[in-house]
Amino acid sequence: MNADPLAPLDLAFWNLESAGHPMHLGALGVFAAGSPSAGAHAADLLAARAAAVPGLRMRIRDVWQPLTGRPSLSALRRSWPAPGEPLAAALSRPLASALRRLLDFGGAAREPDPGFDPLDHVRLHDPVADFHAAAGPLMERPLERTLPPWEAHVLPGADGASFAVLFKFHHALADGLRALTLAAALMDPMDLPAPRPHPAEPPRGLLPDVRKVPALLRGALSDADRALDIGAAVARSTLAMRPSPALACAPSGTRRTGGVVIDLDDVHEVRKSVGGTVNDVLIAVVAGALRRWLDERGDGSEGVAPRALVPVSRRRPRTAHPQGNRLSGYLLRLPVDERDPLARLAEVRTAMDRNKDAGPHRGAGAVALLADHVPPLGHRLGGPLLGQAARLWFDVLVTSVPLPGFGLRLGGDPLGAVFPLAPLAPGHSLAIAVSTYRGHVHYGLVADGAAVPDLNRLARAVSAEMETLITACGP
C-alpha cells in the first residue's frame, strides 16, 4: 500500500487539533426534498458512492519514528467488491495486504488495514426543525483519527419539504477547494470539464544538481528573509490594538452555527457604485455587522479594530492533483469603530489593496508558509503551543470558499443553499466563512456556544448591514 507523507501545512493542522478544538471544515447543504423519504435516500446514495471516491478512503497514519518521520496518507481497501470486480479478486485483497505488511518494514505500513466502511462516515439522523441548531453539536465532535477523517450527517427536515447534509472534513485532509471536490464527487453525476494535465516531475537524486546550488542558496536566503518579514509583521500587528472580549474567550468546547443568505445582485450593486471587489464588500459587511452586534449586546464598538485573517488559496482550481493544503493569508484590521458604512468599505478596500500589492507570500497573514520550514518533530511538539498562540496572531477568521456556478443535486433533489463552516481556533469565539452559489451569498457562522449565545443576533446584523450599504449607495 502506497503512503504519502503529509505536507507540512497538513501536518500542522493535524497537530493543532485538541479535544476542545477540532480542526475540521464543515459545509451545511440544504436540499429541497422531493418526497418524505428523500433524506434516507440521500444517506443511502452517499454511503454507496463514498467507496468509489479514492480521496474519501485516505487515512492519516502515524509512524513509529516520531523524531524523524511524519504521519502519512494512505488509501484503505474497500470492504466489499468494487463495481465489476470478481469476488475472488476481492477476497484475495486482504491476503495481499497482509503479505505487503510482512515485506514492508516501514512504520506506517505495519498498521493493520481495517478496510473502508462507508457506514462509519455517513449517518442518518432523526428529523429536525432547525438545521443549524442540529449542526452546532455535530461540529463540536472531533473526527475519528483512526479512520479517514471525514463525515456526512444527513438531517431530514421536520416539515418533510427539505433535508440537509452536514459534511465534515479534517483540515489535514482538505482545504476548502479540496473539500468541495470531495463533496461534489458524491453528488449526482454531471458532465464536467476534464482536469488540466499535471506535468510529471523528473526523478530526484540523493544530492541536488550542482548547477542548481546557487539557486538553492538564493532560495534559502529568500526564505529566511521572508520568515523574518512575517515574524516582524506579526509582532507589529499586536501593537496599539484593543481586542473585544466578545471575540476572545476561554474555550468551552461547545459550538453554535448560524447562516445568512443575501442577494449577490445587491453586492454587485454596491461594488459598481463605490468600486473595489465583491470580496471587499463582503468583508465590509462583516465589519459593519460586528459593529452593530457589539453595540447591541452592550460590549461597545468604540476603538475596536479586530485583526481579520483572510486565507488565500495558492491552488490552481483545475489541477489534476489537488491533495494537500495550499494556503497563505492576508491580515487586516476590520474598521469596526468607523461609523460611516461607506468609509468602512473604503478602509477595507485600501487594506486589501495593500495586501495584494505585497502579495500572499509576505506579511503577518502568511504565517502558514512557515510550516514548510519546520521539521516533523517541531510540528509534533509545537502544534499545541502554536494553537494557543492563535489569539495573539488574529482575532477573527473571515474566509471565502469557492463553489461551482452550476446547480448540484443529490438523488435528484436540488441543492438550494450551502453554508461553509470554518474551524474555530483556540481562544477565539467566532469564525466566518462566505461562499456564493446560484446568485446568492451564504455566510456560515461558527461560534463558541458559551461565549456567543446570541449568534442569531449577529446573523441578523449581517443582513441589516447589507441593507445599510445599499441605502448608503443611494439610487
Side-chain angles (χ1 to χ4, degrees):
M1 179 180 298
N2 294 328
D4 297 322
L6 285 182
L9 188 53
D10 301 343
L11 181 60
F13 285 129
W14 189 245
N15 286 305
L16 278 172
E17 184 171 65
S18 65
H21 283 91
M23 288 301 298
H24 53 252
L25 311 169
L28 183 66
V30 181
F31 297 80
S35 69
S37 61
H41 180 51
D44 291 340
L45 285 176
L46 292 172
R49 294 171 178 175
V53 181
L56 296 180
R57 302 201 312 271
M58 300 301 291
R59 175 189 175 192
I60 298 177
R61 298 170 176 266
D62 216 332
V63 295
W64 287 12
Q65 300 89 5
L67 296 180
T68 58
R70 63 178 62 182
S72 61
L73 277 171
S74 58
L76 296 183
R77 60 178 173 80
R78 298 170 186 262
S79 295
W80 53 76
E85 181 182 21
L87 181 59
L91 294 176
S92 70
R93 279 191 275 109
L95 177 59
S97 179
L99 289 174
R100 282 195 299 271
R101 288 197 297 273
L102 288 174
L103 295 173
D104 190 337
F105 292 94
R110 291 186 179 183
E111 295 186 22
D113 179 356
F116 175 73
D117 186 351
L119 297 182
D120 289 333
H121 304 271
V122 180
R123 294 157 195 177
L124 177 64
H125 295 257
D126 292 332
V128 299
D130 186 330
F131 295 134
H132 279 290
L138 294 175
M139 287 294 290
E140 294 175 10
R141 306 175 189 173
L143 294 165
E144 174 55 60
R145 289 169 71 96
T146 62
L147 297 173
W150 70 275
E151 291 175 352
H153 297 268
V154 181
L155 308 169
D159 59 1
S162 61
F163 67 91
V165 180
L166 173 65
F167 288 103
K168 295 166 56 177
F169 296 96
H170 200 286
H171 218 327
L173 177 70
D175 57 16
L177 189 55
R178 171 69 169 163
L180 168 65
T181 302
L182 293 173
L186 298 175
M187 299 295 106
D188 293 351
M190 298 184 66
D191 293 328
L192 298 176
R196 295 174 182 173
H198 187 77
E201 294 186 1
R204 298 179 180 178
L206 296 177
L207 296 175
D209 189 331
V210 294
R211 294 169 297 180
K212 298 180 179 179
V213 168
L216 292 174
L217 291 175
R218 287 195 300 271
L221 293 174
S222 176
D223 288 345
D225 178 64
R226 180 187 304 166
L228 292 173
D229 175 82
I230 292 172
V234 170
R236 289 193 300 269
S237 74
T238 64
L239 300 176
M241 60 168 290
R242 183 209 153 191
S244 171
L247 298 178
C249 67
S252 70
T254 60
R255 294 290 182 271
R256 294 178 185 269
T257 74
V260 187
V261 181
I262 62 178
D263 198 312
L264 184 58
D265 287 341
D266 291 341
V267 177
H268 281 299
E269 181 180 330
V270 173
R271 177 189 62 80
K272 292 175 182 177
S273 176
V274 300
T277 67
V278 166
N279 204 41
D280 294 342
V281 177
L282 298 180
I283 294 173
V285 167
V286 170
L290 288 175
R291 175 183 176 84
R292 189 183 301 264
W293 175 62
L294 291 173
D295 288 342
E296 287 180 357
R297 75 197 318 248
D299 290 336
S301 60
E302 191 67 29
V304 175
R307 298 158 300 169
L309 176 63
V310 181
V312 177
S313 176
R314 299 185 296 128
R315 184 193 301 284
R316 295 178 180 177
R318 292 176 58 193
T319 51
H321 298 272
Q323 193 159 287
N325 279 274
R326 302 286 189 272
L327 293 173
S328 182
Y330 296 145
L331 197 71
L332 72 154
R333 289 188 181 272
L334 295 178
V336 171
D337 55 351
E338 172 56 57
R339 295 176 178 272
D340 182 78
L342 295 184
R344 281 197 297 270
L345 176 52
E347 288 192 34
V348 167
R349 180 182 175 185
T350 299
M352 287 299 289
D353 286 345
R354 188 184 306 118
N355 275 309
K356 292 171 187 175
D357 289 342
H361 296 87
R362 305 193 78 87
V367 167
L369 300 180
L370 300 182
D372 292 340
H373 308 287
V374 178
L377 181 60
H379 281 288
R380 185 181 295 271
L381 298 179
L385 296 176
L386 182 60
Q388 296 301 321
R391 65 188 302 175
L392 302 177
W393 174 25
F394 65 97
D395 303 300
V396 61
L397 179 73
V398 183
T399 184
S400 177
V401 181
L403 292 177
F406 48 82
L408 297 173
R409 291 177 177 268
L410 180 57
D413 296 316
L415 175 63
V418 56
F419 301 94
L421 303 172
L424 200 59
H428 290 181
S429 64
L430 180 66
I432 301 173
V434 191
S435 66
T436 57
Y437 177 72
R438 306 289 285 174
H440 291 87
V441 177
H442 299 80
Y443 283 87
L445 313 176
V446 177
D448 183 282
V452 187
D454 57 343
L455 189 61
N456 289 340
R457 177 184 289 174
L458 177 59
R460 292 193 297 270
V462 170
S463 297
E465 181 61 20
M466 188 68 243
E467 295 175 2
T468 297
L469 270 175
I470 294 172
T471 302
C473 289

